[in-house]
């Protein structure tokens, strides 16, 4: 990753605004009742050669809870989707309840 201006909503990146459907609710942590933080968005075109995407998808999104969950680290969720199925991206909720080190600074990826 390289720090700089936040890449576009559909780009491969760490943190920032993800390509999330406007109509889909943003996932939350069941334990802490806070929105999950966007961590990694990876387009299939940018993925390493042996990183297989499920059939019909071309975008992987990793989110996690911005709070501690014991020795196992943050609780994570992975979402697979087809970028073309998101005609109108929505806004992500604020992450002001997450611990500062758990929300990545938006960065470009150069896999």
């Amino acid at each position: 990753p390289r720090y700089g201006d936040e890449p576009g909503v559909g780009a491969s990146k760490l943190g920032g605004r993800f390509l999330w459907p406007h109509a889909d609710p943003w996932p939350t942590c069941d334990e802490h009742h806070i929105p999950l933080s966007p961590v990694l968005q990876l387009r299939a075109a940018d993925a390493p050669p042996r990183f297989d995407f499920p059939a019909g998808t071309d975008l992987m999104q990793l989110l996690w809870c911005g709070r501690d969950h014991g020795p196992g680290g943050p609780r994570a969720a992975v979402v697979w989707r087809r970028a073309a199925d998101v005609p109108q991206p929505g806004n992500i909720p604020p992450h002001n309840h997450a611990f500062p080190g758990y929300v990545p600074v938006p960065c470009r990826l150069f896999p």
Side-chain angles (χ1 to χ4, degrees):
R2 294 197 176 94
Y3 182 73
D5 292 336
E6 182 177 340
V9 71
S12 290
K13 59 183 163 179
L14 287 176
R17 186 170 171 232
F18 281 9
L19 188 63
W20 197 268
H22 180 71
D24 285 7
W26 190 263
T28 59
C29 172
D30 293 336
E31 182 178 335
H32 295 290
H33 309 290
I34 63 171
L36 297 183
S37 298
V39 177
L40 173 68
Q41 179 169 271
L42 183 64
R43 297 175 336 123
D46 297 330
R50 294 191 179 144
F51 192 95
D52 292 328
F53 279 65
T57 67
D58 61 2
L59 193 65
M60 187 273 298
Q61 296 168 321
L62 172 68
L63 304 102
W64 67 29
C65 178
R67 296 274 181 99
D68 288 328
H69 285 270
R75 293 214 174 121
V78 176
V79 177
W80 301 93
R81 66 175 78 247
R82 196 169 78 98
D85 292 341
V86 187
Q88 182 182 8
N91 292 323
I92 64 170
H95 299 281
N96 49 0
H97 296 292
F99 294 154
Y102 282 54
V103 181
V105 173
C107 293
R108 294 185 175 278
L109 288 180
F110 298 92

